[in-house]
Amino acid sequence: EAGFVWAYEFVGPKQRYSRLFRSHTVEQALGSTAAHSARMQQAPASTVQRMQEEAIPAEQERIREQVWKEAEASDRLVLGVDDFAIKKGHTYNTGIHNLRGETMLDVISGRKLDDLRAYALQHPDFRQLSPYAVVMDLAPTYHTWISECFPDAIRIADRFHVHGYVIESLQAVRKTVQSTLSPRAKALLKSQHRLLNPPKDTLTEESQKRLEILLSYSPLLRSVWEWKEAFSVWYDNSPNHAVALLGFDRWCRQGDQIDHVAVRATLKTMRHWKDAIVNYHRCRFTNATVEGRHNRIKAYQRRHYFTRNRSRYIAGILIECNRHRLLD
């Protein structure tokens, strides 16, 4: 209840809260909301929000400087580039990530090639990076942009996205087979179709038995499932890039034996992006941590109701995605 007119080590002039209380309250609010932190600290929500707003610019600047210095000093820097939705299907941002350092470097407004080129022109520090490899999905825009900015970097197609194309073709075949089955078998295949997606060795013994029942419905479905399993084996067991090239061609020939439009479309995509897909075996990094970071961004956007101030929005995301750096 006291106010201080002199400056002490533990409290500033004309302040009612100690520096330790302010820092603890701000750290708690960054991971949730000002209202939640106010309830926990038994302080007015407006006071906690003011503390948070005063702390965000300094924290964001400190974190940005730290993560960029780390990226610039990295000997074999591996970048990850991926988009995340502000409004799904309408508005997107692009995130730039340091995969080796497990940090998020920056947020770009938009995902079109003009937006990416404009960012590179406005941020010369980005062009000064020397990444050994860059991981991204199969969007031509990202590959074009990275080849312009870093022509010597290895461009790697993210394993998660690549494997998604194979899963989609498997499910397309499943729907085709499903329409030809009896009502009982059709209902069973439809209700348990997710058993087809994961590798067999990750399933429980009971799930493997149910999977065998589903595969027994159609030789076509079994052949596509085995083709999907072979792709996972190729990813996991190829010892080097040269062997991976041979294994990829062998896997494509296995797919050529399957007569289905979805499989043919997937093979066309795979052959087009062959170099980027096989480059995974030159530098085994994926955007798995990036996808997890996207979940944190979505949670942040829901908590803060999509902050209208662009600079504050980006600052909040960078702090949210690099919070483990706050303790350094």
Side-chain angles (χ1 to χ4, degrees):
E1 299 296 332
F4 293 83
V5 294
W6 291 286
Y8 294 90
E9 291 184 0
F10 66 92
V11 67
K14 299 182 180 180
Q15 297 293 324
R16 298 175 65 116
Y17 300 96
S18 67
R19 291 188 173 91
L20 181 60
F21 176 84
R22 293 172 68 91
S23 63
H24 180 69
T25 302
V26 168
E27 182 179 349
Q28 190 177 58
L30 291 176
S32 57
T33 62
H36 174 74
S37 181
R39 288 194 299 269
M40 297 294 293
Q41 300 294 345
Q42 296 183 359
S46 59
T47 300
V48 175
Q49 186 174 5
R50 184 175 66 252
M51 292 179 182
Q52 184 182 15
E53 290 176 351
E54 292 172 354
I56 281 179
E59 290 292 344
Q60 184 260 353
E61 188 63 30
R62 183 179 73 85
I63 290 176
R64 181 187 288 271
E65 181 179 357
Q66 183 175 348
V67 298
W68 277 92
K69 279 185 177 179
E70 181 180 325
E72 292 168 356
S74 178
D75 292 333
R76 291 169 68 88
L77 175 65
V78 180
L79 295 180
V81 177
D82 201 5
D83 58 68
F84 60 92
I86 299 178
K87 184 178 181 182
K88 195 171 183 65
H90 297 272
T91 312
Y92 290 83
N93 286 331
T94 297
I96 304 174
H97 308 261
N98 177 0
L99 298 182
R100 194 180 294 276
E102 298 183 352
T103 57
M104 186 174 190
L105 299 178
D106 212 344
V107 178
I108 303 174
S109 177
R111 61 177 180 176
K112 295 182 179 179
L113 187 57
D114 291 341
D115 301 325
L116 303 176
R117 285 171 172 166
Y119 173 84
L121 291 175
Q122 296 168 7
H123 297 79
D125 51 345
F126 173 73
R127 296 294 297 268
Q128 291 174 4
L129 295 176
S130 300
Y132 172 72
V134 182
V135 183
M136 52 203 141
D137 59 22
L138 300 184
T141 298
Y142 288 141
H143 286 263
T144 301
W145 181 53
I146 292 300
S147 64
E148 293 174 356
C149 295
F150 311 115
D152 297 329
I154 299 172
R155 289 184 283 116
I156 303 173
D158 179 47
R159 175 175 177 172
F160 172 81
H161 290 89
V162 173
H163 208 272
Y165 283 93
V166 181
I167 295 296
E168 288 177 3
S169 63
L170 171 61
Q171 291 297 336
V173 173
R174 186 264 306 173
K175 291 177 182 178
T176 302
V177 170
Q178 187 175 285
S179 63
T180 65
L181 300 178
S182 65
R184 181 180 179 83
K186 178 179 179 179
L188 185 62
L189 183 57
K190 183 177 182 180
S191 63
Q192 301 188 15
H193 69 275
R194 289 186 178 85
L195 289 176
L196 299 170
N197 296 344
K200 183 178 180 179
D201 55 5
T202 64
L203 297 175
T204 63
E205 183 176 352
E206 178 62 29
S207 296
Q208 290 184 19
K209 292 179 180 178
R210 287 187 280 132
L211 174 63
E212 283 298 322
I213 295 174
L214 301 182
L215 297 177
S216 66
Y217 291 150
S218 168
L220 174 62
L221 182 62
R222 180 178 290 276
S223 63
V224 178
W225 177 83
E226 291 174 347
W227 177 65
K228 184 269 299 182
E229 288 288 292
F231 196 53
S232 297
V233 171
W234 172 80
Y235 257 121
D236 293 332
N237 297 336
S238 297
N240 54 55
H241 183 260
V243 174
L245 279 173
L246 298 175
F248 184 82
D249 290 335
R250 183 168 57 251
W251 176 79
C252 289
R253 290 195 297 270
Q254 180 183 349
D256 290 333
Q257 305 302 315
I258 302 173
D259 185 19
H260 194 278
V261 61
V263 175
R264 290 195 294 269
T266 298
L267 286 172
K268 182 179 179 180
T269 301
M270 295 296 177
R271 287 188 167 112
H272 177 74
W273 293 102
K274 175 181 177 179
D275 292 339
I277 294 172
V278 180
N279 277 344
Y280 169 80
H281 297 283
R282 299 175 62 187
C283 183
R284 291 173 177 265
F285 274 86
T286 71
N287 275 343
T289 57
V290 174
E291 297 298 331
R293 213 166 280 146
H294 287 173
N295 291 332
R296 302 192 69 171
I297 292 173
K298 291 176 183 177
Y300 170 82
Q301 292 179 153
R302 294 189 188 102
R303 290 199 310 268
H304 294 270
Y305 304 101
F306 295 89
T307 305
R308 293 175 182 269
N309 186 309
R310 179 71 187 178
S311 60
R312 184 60 56 84
Y313 170 75
I314 293 177
I317 287 179
L318 292 178
I319 292 174
E320 182 72 18
C321 294
N322 297 300
R323 285 191 65 214
H324 59 287
R325 295 291 183 180
L326 292 174
L327 302 178
D328 294 352

